[in-house]
Amino acid sequence: MMAAQSATVPDRETLLTEARGQAHLDDFGDPWFFPHIDHLVGTLNSEARLNLEGAFGARTTIVNSLVNKLRHIDLVKKHPEIRKEDVQVAAIVVGLPRTGSTMLHRMLSAAPGMTGVKWFEAHHYVPLPEEGRGETHQRREAASALMAYMLDKIPELMSIHPMSIDQPDEEVIILGQLFSSTMLEASYYIPSYARWLAQQNPLHAYRDLKEILQSLQWQDPARKGARWVLKTPGHLMALDAVRAVFPEAKIVMTHRDPKSTVPSYCSMEQTLYRLGSDEINAELVAGYWPERLKDLLKQFMDARENVPPGVFIDVAYADLISDPIVQASRVLKGVGVEDIDLMMGGMSEWIEANKREDRAAHRYSLGEYGLTADAVDEMFAGYNAAYLSK
């Protein structure tokens, strides 16, 4: 029996035309990201094994990303004062996926005087047509609908990566809309695109990200004077650009034994790929992600060798789980916060409202992905020696 032909995504010009029609705008600003779309579409059609729903979803995601870009450029044209917003990034949380970085990010963002990009903002970082400055009702409704769709398709996702439209989440979602982040390879099986992207200069994307943060701060005057906490493991592949654009930020890295993080992340990826494909199995995931995570850590370790002392703050997963307030307070002191007692309330409230035991367990094992404990130890021996040895 012949295999069913995979569904495909149209070419860049078709997608650009569709976005212009939806937004009733035509200025994308600097088109530096156009080649990214070409390579993304090519690998979506050649590697991702999309089903019809997956192809429709990918097309919709790309068009929505372009519509956001068009609206952002238009907003900044109408309000050039956005570019004068003083965005202060206090901390950028990185680390291999599944190392407690989400927990730490949200705790820090919950502290008074701190802020982060909310899930609904990441997906729609520009006010929708009927929203005025400071209004978010349309975007929150759109985000609620998207989250409901995702959880209907893969209900176990909430136990793997808990989400709320109003909780801080990864700006990797924004970078993904600039076709420049690990979100793309996390959403679709596209190893060739990830390899191509790793050879590109990420500086354009991070400069755009900063302008988007300026816009979010301008949209919400309550953020005036607040310090941002950013987070995504994908920043590991662009530390030079991160430090060039946000030189004042401390880099906070969470650490956990790869024997736990690797199978957990493989399980998460196999789950996410189900949103767009019926053909991405454990074998394909195992053939890609363990080595990919190893490469991310090598990039990080190489880049860190050239960073002055005092820029990085390391947090062990075991310490974070056993005493989250102590670890978060240590990070806040590291970024220059003096009144730690003031910060305690917001962080403690977050912990109480987000207890891990209130969610279903995320179950996974090394064996599901053809891995053994010894093999993972050998694969990550350099990282383990540098950051996990007592």
Side-chain angles (χ1 to χ4, degrees), residues 72-258:
H72 172 74
I73 295 295
D74 186 61
L75 183 69
V76 174
K77 281 182 179 177
K78 291 175 177 175
H79 300 280
E81 67 270 23
I82 286 173
R83 289 198 174 107
K84 296 180 181 179
E85 286 287 325
D86 181 21
V87 165
Q88 292 295 316
V89 176
I92 300 175
V93 181
V94 299
L96 211 62
R98 324 305 297 156
T99 59
S101 55
T102 296
M103 174 185 179
L104 182 58
H105 174 225
R106 291 176 181 171
M107 283 176 58
L108 295 173
S109 299
M114 312 296 276
T115 190
V117 177
K118 297 177 182 178
W119 198 86
F120 83 85
E121 293 175 320
H123 286 277
H124 296 282
Y125 54 83
V126 186
L128 293 179
E130 295 181 15
E131 292 177 333
R133 181 181 178 184
E135 294 180 344
T136 61
H137 56 284
Q138 274 191 305
R139 284 178 285 170
R140 295 179 77 260
E141 287 175 8
S144 294
L146 174 60
M147 187 174 290
Y149 167 77
M150 293 171 66
L151 295 178
D152 180 64
K153 291 284 292 182
I154 44 175
E156 64 268 38
L157 184 58
M158 195 62 83
S159 70
I160 299 173
H161 181 73
M163 298 177 294
S164 161
I165 66 167
D166 291 309
Q167 285 238 48
D169 217 293
E170 297 185 23
E171 59 281 350
V172 71
I173 300 169
I174 295 174
L175 291 168
Q177 293 178 67
L178 301 172
F179 312 102
S180 300
S181 82
T182 53
M183 188 194 81
L184 299 168
E185 62 181 302
S187 302
Y188 307 101
Y189 182 74
I190 47 173
S192 295
Y193 185 78
R195 287 192 291 270
W196 178 84
L197 184 60
Q199 302 305 312
Q200 309 311 304
N201 186 347
L203 201 54
H204 279 297
Y206 279 89
R207 285 171 176 163
D208 280 8
L209 174 62
K210 182 173 181 178
E211 188 173 274
I212 289 166
L213 294 179
Q214 288 176 309
S215 173
L216 291 173
Q217 186 167 290
W218 174 86
Q219 291 173 45
D220 181 5
R223 279 177 162 142
K224 199 74 162 179
R227 301 175 71 194
W228 290 80
V229 183
L230 307 185
K231 178 259 176 180
T232 179
H235 292 322
L236 289 174
M237 64 183 283
L239 280 178
D240 289 344
V242 168
R243 296 204 62 240
V245 175
F246 305 112
E248 74 282 5
K250 298 289 187 180
I251 309 296
V252 182
M253 186 164 185
T254 48
H255 300 280
R256 187 183 183 189
D257 189 335

Side-chain angles (χ1 to χ4, degrees), residues 326-348:
V326 167
Q327 295 305 310
S329 298
R330 183 169 66 84
V331 172
L332 288 172
K333 288 178 183 176
V335 303
V337 172
E338 296 181 0
D339 192 349
I340 298 299
D341 290 341
L342 177 66
M343 302 295 194
M344 292 288 191
M347 294 192 297
S348 298

Side-chain angles (χ1 to χ4, degrees), residues 310-373:
V311 171
F312 280 87
I313 301 172
D314 295 296
V315 178
Y317 177 82
D319 295 337
L320 182 62
I321 296 303
S322 65
D323 205 335
I325 288 291
V326 167
Q327 295 305 310
S329 298
R330 183 169 66 84
V331 172
L332 288 172
K333 288 178 183 176
V335 303
V337 172
E338 296 181 0
D339 192 349
I340 298 299
D341 290 341
L342 177 66
M343 302 295 194
M344 292 288 191
M347 294 192 297
S348 298
E349 288 174 14
W350 185 90
I351 292 171
E352 185 61 29
N354 293 272
K355 291 179 179 176
R356 181 63 182 87
E357 57 266 27
D358 291 341
R359 292 183 278 121
H362 175 206
R363 303 192 184 283
Y364 51 86
S365 69
L366 288 164
E368 291 176 69
Y369 300 98
L371 299 168
T372 65

